[in-house]
Amino acid sequence: MGDLLGVAVLGAGHMGADHIRRLDRVVSGARVAAVADPDAARAKEAAAGIEGVSVHREVESALDAPGVEAVLIASPGPAHEEALLAAFARGLPVLCEKPMVPDSAGALRVLEAEARLGRRLAQIGFMRRYDTEYRRLKALLDDGRLGRPLMLHCTHRNVSSPPGFTSAMLIDSSVSHEIDAARWLLGQELTAVTVLRPRSSSGAPEGLLDPQFVLFETDGGALVDVEVFVNCGFGYQVRCEAVCEAGSARIGDDHGLLVTARGSAGTDVPQDYLVRFVDAYDREVQAWVDATRRGRVTGPSAWDGYTASVVAEAGVRALENGTRVAVDLAPRPELYR
Amino acid sequence: MGDLLGVAVLGAGHMGADHIRRLDRVVSGARVAAVADPDAARAKEAAAGIEGVSVHREVESALDAPGVEAVLIASPGPAHEEALLAAFARGLPVLCEKPMVPDSAGALRVLEAEARLGRRLAQIGFMRRYDTEYRRLKALLDDGRLGRPLMLHCTHRNVSSPPGFTSAMLIDSSVSHEIDAARWLLGQELTAVTVLRPRSSSGAPEGLLDPQFVLFETDGGALVDVEVFVNCGFGYQVRCEAVCEAGSARIGDDHGLLVTARGSAGTDVPQDYLVRFVDAYDREVQAWVDATRRGRVTGPSAWDGYTASVVAEAGVRALENGTRVAVDLAPRPELYR
Amino acid sequence: MGDLLGVAVLGAGHMGADHIRRLDRVVSGARVAAVADPDAARAKEAAAGIEGVSVHREVESALDAPGVEAVLIASPGPAHEEALLAAFARGLPVLCEKPMVPDSAGALRVLEAEARLGRRLAQIGFMRRYDTEYRRLKALLDDGRLGRPLMLHCTHRNVSSPPGFTSAMLIDSSVSHEIDAARWLLGQELTAVTVLRPRSSSGAPEGLLDPQFVLFETDGGALVDVEVFVNCGFGYQVRCEAVCEAGSARIGDDHGLLVTARGSAGTDVPQDYLVRFVDAYDREVQAWVDATRRGRVTGPSAWDGYTASVVAEAGVRALENGTRVAVDLAPRPELYR
Amino acid sequence: MGDLLGVAVLGAGHMGADHIRRLDRVVSGARVAAVADPDAARAKEAAAGIEGVSVHREVESALDAPGVEAVLIASPGPAHEEALLAAFARGLPVLCEKPMVPDSAGALRVLEAEARLGRRLAQIGFMRRYDTEYRRLKALLDDGRLGRPLMLHCTHRNVSSPPGFTSAMLIDSSVSHEIDAARWLLGQELTAVTVLRPRSSSGAPEGLLDPQFVLFETDGGALVDVEVFVNCGFGYQVRCEAVCEAGSARIGDDHGLLVTARGSAGTDVPQDYLVRFVDAYDREVQAWVDATRRGRVTGPSAWDGYTASVVAEAGVRALENGTRVAVDLAPRPELYR
């Protein structure tokens, strides 16, 4: 097991448990070495069934556990600063869920601590940068084909907000994703912000200002507007349209990257089956490995393989003869019923 | 390393090398234990840099290599029968690329061999069953909401065919995917086939019958038509529309699953960010693990985390004051430039 | 009124009444001069309120009525032959609803009669040739950009079939539209036809073969397939995809003409507001003329015009000052409430 | 000709000439009775070939011409006030192109003049209210299914601006369409406006502030944002998304009205062929009338009608026999080649 990266996961709530599952069963090359949560029972449950993992109440104890080579911070935001500084002190690489640190003073302390180290240890969990559609949009903006970006129109809608969600959280929890995405897509810093407040939806909890319309200006002269509406009722929608000097590009409408330029609006058609089906191949092999490790066989069977051969042969005869050809299968063995 | 499934990969050509990469770097819980190819240099190259792998010329030697617990067959079709039978003889689970065996007589021998074992060992590589869109279509057909399927309209287009591609291969290599997909989607066997041959495209090589239009009948009374066009020139397109008693559903047009029923045509909107961004989370953590194992830090930095906090705080002030608020950042440390 | 084309409408059923309304109120340059129907009450009702119209039981009497210069035949199919021959005998131009004549022997007699005249008098009511999407598709095929058409995939779906609809009528009533559209789009004659019959939908009336799948071959080597499904339950859908040597083009999915070629799938974006809004201008002026003739004023009022001026002035000040500018309207006069 | 509404058209420039053509050849129930333009040659040219029309230099002379019952004002904006007041003085109904009067003081004088009359005579040319997509959106908002509208996101893009187009004209010429559309769609008045100015596109003429981002507040608490970009280069795009308490609806993307509500995003499928093809029927009959008045016969011929009968009969035999049936056509007469 020495070859796999040993990760300590801090926080075993919803997000932490999901990352533990991911490190254990989805990601290649890592293993969960330690789990920490003030609620020890929760930590224990999240770590159940994982070989060689240790369970902890305290952050420091988890970071010092045997086999820990890296840290994934998924505890509540207010606990991040202490955890990041502890990881820095040990020289451990960190993946820290957003927000890095909720208040900017604490965020600055973390920034300065890492800067003093003189090398980067932390990656912040802005996961949209890893979304296929966002990456295609970023690549398009970077290749310069559409010219300089002038505006980003963003939409961020949730079905409903969780209990205790405040008007400020529409900005610092929801729109914070757009804050990072806009900076990343444009390669520019945001310099000013204005928030407009239409009359709130009757679907929003009493007193919550929802929706809001947020406008950012950038140091490159671009404008970013964000509709944030966390009680829209109908679905989770994240969209972004980049309007550039020579075209616009839009993601988030369930049709990949829609580009409008030179008189036409369209999407790319893949040129190769590997592009179209790369994820299917990955899932196929993962499913096979998972089943095989559990001693099971699932997926298409030898009967499926045999049948395909028989039908294909009939098809070739039909092609050659120009007639209808019946498919003649051997009886189906018991094993495949 | 004992915990990871040791896989022997047979065949180190284009497809085999891709599966080796996948097992080594993408899939969780497996490792490449052996690679076999008659071309030993090719096998060696495909196995380069993988810890604990052995390289072989012969199938049998690879299957008997230490640590081999399962087999992935990616050699040319004519070699599959022997490889499958050798794996069966050793009781090794197999993932076998399609076609299982190109000729139906050989396919029947494999089927009977596994049937004699009395337990399944083989999974055949019909990877469309693992494609997200196909799975959504299958789930929709299975839930009965649209009633009984009556017809499948399928499209299978390639930019161009490789050298040596014959008219028969449009059926037994290309349409074989639709043969399996149709059987799987409908849960029915195909009973007859007719092939129509419009005048060939001038974009097809001399003598190749391309496109073809293939019609399958099923034992459930459904009709399956397939346009196969392997020199369409414009892209790789795989589409399928299922026409049912109470609606139709279509995949493959770059907009997920389009369902037409009860007077409206539309796509589902996800209800949860995990549905929308599950792949982004997987990629994010994989990218972090990969970089960390190589001693590198990539992805969003502490500067990005700090900036997001500052901008979000400005946004909350803008919300509270109803005014434009400037964003005031600390100087950017050298480390983050 | 001498300038307007005087039209005799034969048949005052559903279709005839609709054409009478169209000639009277929608189309420019025509007037209804005579209406004929064996059911005199029905003819009278359809002609009610139209100035200068005469009402008839017999075709001949209508054709000979004063002011009749042309004929629109909207009677049942079996009555068409006699009506067409009567119009030809008088040298009257005819627009004849489809089918021209239901049986081919009668159709041939009409054809020969007109051929003997040595000049065309009849236009047949294949109205799809006048549909915007079909016209765009036809223009695209004709300009040669996509190369030679190889296949047409057509869909023809109705919510439900009227009482008395037979299995044969799926062909000779429904698919007859595709028969003409295919000939027109391709510029080729159809040379053979095959009909496949999947198991009928449980939504179809007992005994009706519905859906059917119809295959046409053409003298240009193209293939035309038509799914006809007249009890699909969910909507009226007419679609057509033309697959050509260098791309494909599709209409009927509520997004204009979708063209796939050279690696991208997309729709044209209009270059001019007249293209985008030409129909709106036509409707606007027609609505104004209609209201004015009835002594009424509808549509946007002077209050709307005044308000637009005030808001636009405020907008220009906001642009110049860079600030929020309040809109200051005069009190709204009673007349505009 | 007494039955047709006699219209005086003021202004024979681009827009006036288009309206003259529309009244003469497209619209039912009207005729052009008089044309006025200070450039008499231009007026004469626009009126050429129209029976019974008189040509004028002066507005008053045109309004007093014989047969004038209504007025269409298509002269430049600054001439509108005088023309409207002259029409009011004569009690003539008016359709006045936008802007009604460019400056709000003049607009108020017109408003007060009509209010003094005590009855409406003027309709203002906000033609978007007659666009099919806008009307569907308006109907959807009015039926209350999506709840109260909270925001409108609008886009108004032109390929390029004409010479002399100023930064203010982006507001008072282009956005004036959205000003009326927003008021109409929402049934609310606009109360304040803010204009944001991203860095201008390098595709815009020197000194022109283009694009702009305009924000309107309404007396119902809604927010309206408009991207106006008159040198976008790639096309003419007018889009509007209405975000409501229980769903959103979008027009302008070449796919009708896209509604997102209750977990799904989709478009309506028409239930009836008349809905789908109503425009085709109108165009068909108009084309037939136009050709017939010119003594010509165009459109589908008796050969097309005959062929459809023969093919349909072959299809019915193919259905009954379950075989391929050849189509046997009589020789094509010379007349139809």
Side-chain angles (χ1 to χ4, degrees), chain C residues 161-241:
Chain C
S161 58
F165 211 78
T166 65
S167 297
M169 290 168 81
L170 272 82
I171 308 284
D172 62 27
S173 174
S174 300
V175 176
S176 62
H177 281 289
E178 272 75 23
I179 290 172
D180 183 68
R183 294 177 61 250
W184 175 66
L185 287 171
L186 297 172
Q188 299 174 13
E189 289 295 356
L190 306 181
T191 55
V193 53
T194 308
V195 180
L196 291 134
R197 318 181 317 193
R199 209 163 84 186
S200 293
S201 171
S202 62
E206 183 66 28
L208 190 70
L209 298 172
D210 181 32
Q212 299 175 21
F213 194 73
V214 186
L215 291 154
F216 297 104
E217 303 161 43
T218 79
D219 60 4
L223 190 69
V224 179
D225 57 270
V226 184
E227 175 207 316
V228 56
F229 188 5
V230 299
N231 289 280
C232 80
F234 54 81
Y236 179 72
Q237 276 191 319
V238 168
R239 306 185 304 190
C240 182
E241 178 178 21

Side-chain angles (χ1 to χ4, degrees), chain B residues 49-285:
Chain B
I50 300 180
E51 204 181 334
V53 69
S54 60
V55 172
H56 308 262
R57 258 210 181 83
E58 307 294 335
V59 165
E60 309 249 324
S61 139
L63 299 192
D64 294 332
V68 168
E69 300 163 287
V71 189
L72 195 161
I73 302 178
S75 48
H80 287 188
E81 182 179 352
E82 185 200 332
L84 282 158
L85 296 178
F88 290 175
R90 286 158 179 80
L92 291 172
V94 193
L95 175 58
C96 178
E97 268 301 324
K98 66 164 277 282
M100 180 176 82
V101 178
D103 67 297
S104 64
L108 186 58
R109 285 190 294 270
V110 166
L111 183 77
E112 290 170 345
E114 193 184 40
R116 273 194 304 274
L117 286 178
R119 66 189 174 105
R120 285 190 54 194
L121 283 176
Q123 171 174 335
I124 313 307
F126 292 116
M127 89 292 178
R128 286 203 193 159
R129 300 195 190 190
Y130 296 90
D131 175 64
T132 303
E133 291 185 25
Y134 271 95
R135 293 179 86 90
R136 288 172 68 186
L137 177 56
K138 169 71 170 160
L140 181 71
L141 296 180
D142 285 355
D143 84 6
R145 188 149 55 98
L146 297 187
R148 190 164 51 85
L150 304 168
M151 287 172 283
L152 296 184
H153 304 311
C154 308
T155 313
H156 186 142
R157 296 174 184 154
N158 295 79
V159 177
S160 60
S161 57
F165 211 78
T166 66
S167 297
M169 290 168 80
L170 273 80
I171 308 284
D172 61 27
S173 173
S174 300
V175 175
S176 62
H177 281 290
E178 272 75 23
I179 290 173
D180 183 68
R183 294 177 62 248
W184 174 66
L185 287 171
L186 298 171
Q188 299 174 14
E189 290 294 357
L190 307 181
T191 54
V193 52
T194 308
V195 180
L196 291 135
R197 317 181 317 194
R199 209 164 84 185
S200 294
S201 171
S202 62
E206 183 67 28
L208 190 70
L209 298 172
D210 181 33
Q212 299 175 20
F213 194 72
V214 186
L215 291 154
F216 297 104
E217 303 161 42
T218 79
D219 59 5
L223 191 69
V224 180
D225 57 89
V226 185
E227 175 207 316
V228 55
F229 189 5
V230 299
N231 289 281
C232 81
F234 54 81
Y236 178 72
Q237 276 191 320
V238 168
R239 306 186 304 190
C240 182
E241 178 178 22
V243 183
C244 304
E245 291 184 316
S248 84
R250 196 165 70 189
I251 57 172
D253 281 315
D254 204 10
H255 50 36
L257 176 67
L258 181 77
V259 179
T260 305
R262 288 182 310 283
S264 126
T267 54
D268 280 354
V269 175
Q271 295 298 296
D272 193 273
Y273 74 97
L274 281 178
V275 174
R276 169 68 178 83
F277 283 118
V278 61
D279 288 342
Y281 278 108
D282 290 352
R283 281 200 192 87
E284 175 194 54
V285 177

Side-chain angles (χ1 to χ4, degrees), chain A residues 149-155 175 177-196 213-227 239-243, chain B residues 311, chain D residues 196-199 213 215 225:
Chain A
L150 303 168
M151 288 173 283
L152 297 182
H153 303 312
C154 308
T155 313
V175 176
H177 280 290
E178 272 75 23
I179 290 173
D180 182 67
R183 294 177 61 248
W184 174 66
L185 288 171
L186 298 172
Q188 299 175 13
E189 290 294 355
L190 307 181
T191 54
V193 51
T194 308
V195 180
L196 290 135
F213 194 73
V214 186
L215 292 153
F216 296 104
E217 304 161 41
T218 79
D219 60 4
L223 191 68
V224 179
D225 57 90
V226 184
E227 176 206 315
R239 305 187 303 191
C240 182
E241 178 179 22
V243 184
Chain B
V311 176
Chain D
L196 290 134
R197 317 180 319 193
R199 209 163 83 185
F213 194 73
L215 292 153
D225 56 270

